Amino acid sequence: MGVDESVLLDSFRAAADNPLPCRLVKEAPCQEVVHKEIDIRTLLPIPTHSEHDSGPYITAGLVIARNPKTGIQNVSINRIQVNSKDRMAILILPRHLHAFQQAAEELNQDLPVAVVIGVDPLTLLASQAIAPIDFDELEIAGALHGEALEVIACLTNQVLVPANAEIVIEGHIPPKVRELEGPFGEYPKYYSSQEKRQVIVVDAVTHRQDPIFHTIVPAELEHLLLGSIPREATILSYLRRSFPGVLDVHLSLGGVGRYHLYIQIKKTHEGIPKNIIAGAFGSHYDVKHVVVVDEDVDVHDPIQVEWAIATRFQAKRDLVVINDVQGSVLDPSTTIGLPVDENGVIPSHLQGMSSKVGFDATKPLVYEGHVFTKVKIPGEDDVNLEQILDSKFPLSSFFNSK
């Protein structure tokens, strides 16, 4: 993004708040080669990623669709299982693509889609922005680039795709058609269950000459960061609207970049941390555990966060628990003890039911003596240990020695 990490979230949010309309072109690298009679299983090198995956999966495909009612596009990343030469099952969670598909199905119409593989990192990040429905994430990509993103219409439908992508799979989701999908190793590092999902019928594939196929290894760093960075930017903006004392947020990698939220605040009133905890649960339904800390605790350092919980938190006084609320449908702990149907599947209206916990790990505003004064050695902040060590043991001596 060309910015320091300290302003990463603010820069991403600024792009999301100031999108740039795309620029439509008539010719594009992503359509240099066209296939209409294809077997996608042999045309593309689609891998089976994990030991118990049910088959090959597209994991880095941007799924782009148009709202059947308004025509405005949505961009998301969905896992897609390749079932045959021209049919793919897709997991669609209850978000914007799901609303588009339901609207088309109610009209008994196909939903035209494109699956775009191999885009630049900023466009990939933009696809994960938490934006309102009828808000095209490709316009956020343009803002991140600092110039309008070039797009081109698909050959078999009117979906607009990034012109410089590597590969585009054009297709449609037919109404009232479902096929088995899963199990699949997901971001919590567990396998999701096999269920009947919506289907993409492939109509054509276009690509660059000698295209690069991008895949995301599930549950590893790229997968987690793609989920966490846009969410952090949105959550920070969301909380600051009501709580100006919120300084920083972090979705920890130990919490799979989605479930564990650490919030740094400048505390002004007792009780404010609990208000912020309540607000954080409303910021995104994936958020499961929230820890609020003072401004002297770095939320990007898990050791400091754990230290704050260990020394500033008492469960009787500082714990917030909310039961039976909507959480992540991919969190395996939410499945325990729930009823299943004749196929062994939890009914959709019960999936993701969760308990959520908040920790007020802030120190009191008023306290006696030095009870909550952090121990420091005078002058320690002025010591540059790396500079001292390098002056005594220069790195160049290690590289040049035999």
Side-chain angles (χ1 to χ4, degrees), residues 99-166:
F100 291 4
Q101 191 273 325
Q102 279 193 320
E105 195 162 70
E106 288 171 2
L107 297 170
N108 200 33
Q109 295 177 357
D110 294 338
L111 179 69
V113 297
V115 180
V116 181
I117 301 169
V119 296
D120 65 89
L122 294 184
T123 302
L124 203 67
L125 269 177
S127 74
Q128 298 304 289
I130 302 173
I133 197 167
D134 280 351
F135 193 104
D136 190 345
E137 287 83 357
L138 294 184
E139 296 185 355
I140 297 176
L144 288 172
H145 282 285
E147 58 181 355
L149 190 74
E150 291 188 345
V151 296
I152 191 168
C154 288
L155 301 180
T156 61
N157 59 47
Q158 295 303 305
V159 174
L160 303 179
V161 297
N164 291 304
E166 299 285 330

Side-chain angles (χ1 to χ4, degrees), residues 1-12 221 225 228-229 232-233 236 240 247-251 253 298-301:
M1 287 175 61
V3 300
D4 187 80
E5 192 170 340
S6 63
V7 293
L8 171 66
L9 301 187
D10 287 333
S11 298
F12 186 93
L221 190 59
L225 288 177
S228 65
I229 292 172
E232 287 175 344
L236 182 61
R240 280 178 174 171
L247 304 176
D248 199 3
V249 300
H250 178 55
L251 288 162
L253 294 180
D298 181 0
V299 289
H300 301 275
D301 183 345

Side-chain angles (χ1 to χ4, degrees), residues 19-80:
L20 286 179
C22 298
R23 186 165 72 86
L24 184 64
V25 298
K26 294 182 178 180
E27 295 183 353
C30 69
Q31 293 181 349
E32 289 174 341
V33 180
V34 178
H35 302 270
K36 295 218 172 157
E37 296 293 329
I38 50 95
D39 185 339
I40 197 168
R41 299 169 298 183
T42 56
L43 180 65
L44 300 177
I46 305 170
T48 300
H49 296 82
S50 303
E51 179 185 12
H52 299 294
D53 283 358
S54 54
Y57 269 85
I58 296 170
T59 60
L62 271 59
V63 181
I64 306 178
R66 298 164 70 94
N67 188 330
K69 297 179 179 178
T70 66
I72 299 175
Q73 296 196 155
N74 178 76
V75 187
S76 58
I77 298 178
N78 303 68
R79 72 184 198 220
I80 301 172

Side-chain angles (χ1 to χ4, degrees), residues 104-327:
E105 195 162 70
E106 288 171 2
L107 297 170
N108 200 33
Q109 295 177 357
D110 294 338
L111 179 69
V113 297
V115 180
V116 181
I117 301 169
V119 296
D120 65 89
L122 294 184
T123 302
L124 203 67
L125 269 177
S127 74
Q128 298 304 289
I130 302 173
I133 197 167
D134 280 351
F135 193 104
D136 190 345
E137 287 83 357
L138 294 184
E139 296 185 355
I140 297 176
L144 288 172
H145 282 285
E147 58 181 355
L149 190 74
E150 291 188 345
V151 296
I152 191 168
C154 288
L155 301 180
T156 61
N157 59 47
Q158 295 303 305
V159 174
L160 303 179
V161 297
N164 291 304
E166 299 285 330
I167 302 163
V168 179
I169 302 171
E170 301 182 9
H172 62 276
I173 301 175
K176 303 173 184 176
V177 175
R178 304 291 188 269
E179 292 182 3
L180 287 175
E181 183 271 335
F184 176 74
E186 265 287 359
Y187 65 80
K189 298 184 185 289
Y190 295 100
Y191 291 89
S192 59
S193 61
Q194 184 180 72
E195 294 187 38
K196 289 187 175 181
R197 314 282 192 194
Q198 289 89 343
V199 173
I200 296 176
V201 178
V202 179
D203 297 318
V205 176
T206 69
H207 60 76
R208 288 173 173 261
Q209 296 284 353
D210 301 318
I212 296 171
F213 184 91
H214 178 207
T215 195
I216 294 173
V217 179
E220 298 302 331
L221 190 59
E222 183 179 17
H223 193 180
L224 301 185
L225 288 177
L226 275 173
S228 65
I229 292 172
R231 280 176 170 81
E232 287 175 344
T234 302
I235 290 170
L236 182 61
S237 176
Y238 177 89
L239 290 175
R240 280 178 174 171
R241 292 190 191 110
S242 299
F243 309 105
V246 173
L247 304 176
D248 199 3
V249 300
H250 178 55
L251 288 162
S252 71
L253 294 180
V256 297
R258 289 158 173 83
Y259 298 165
H260 286 183
L261 176 65
Y262 304 153
I263 305 173
Q264 182 192 58
I265 70 169
K266 181 176 178 61
K267 185 174 174 180
T268 57
H269 294 78
E270 300 295 351
I272 282 287
K274 290 187 175 68
N275 289 41
I276 292 172
I277 288 168
F281 290 144
S283 66
H284 197 286
Y285 61 74
D286 277 351
V287 175
K288 181 179 179 182
H289 298 149
V290 176
V291 182
V292 179
V293 297
D294 293 297
E295 57 191 313
D296 62 343
V297 177
D298 181 0
V299 289
H300 301 275
D301 183 345
I303 293 177
Q304 291 193 37
V305 174
E306 186 178 352
W307 170 80
I309 296 172
T311 62
R312 300 179 180 181
F313 168 82
Q314 280 292 319
K316 181 179 179 180
R317 178 189 65 226
D318 301 317
L319 185 68
V320 176
V321 180
I322 303 176
N323 294 315
D324 301 323
V325 290
Q326 181 65 54

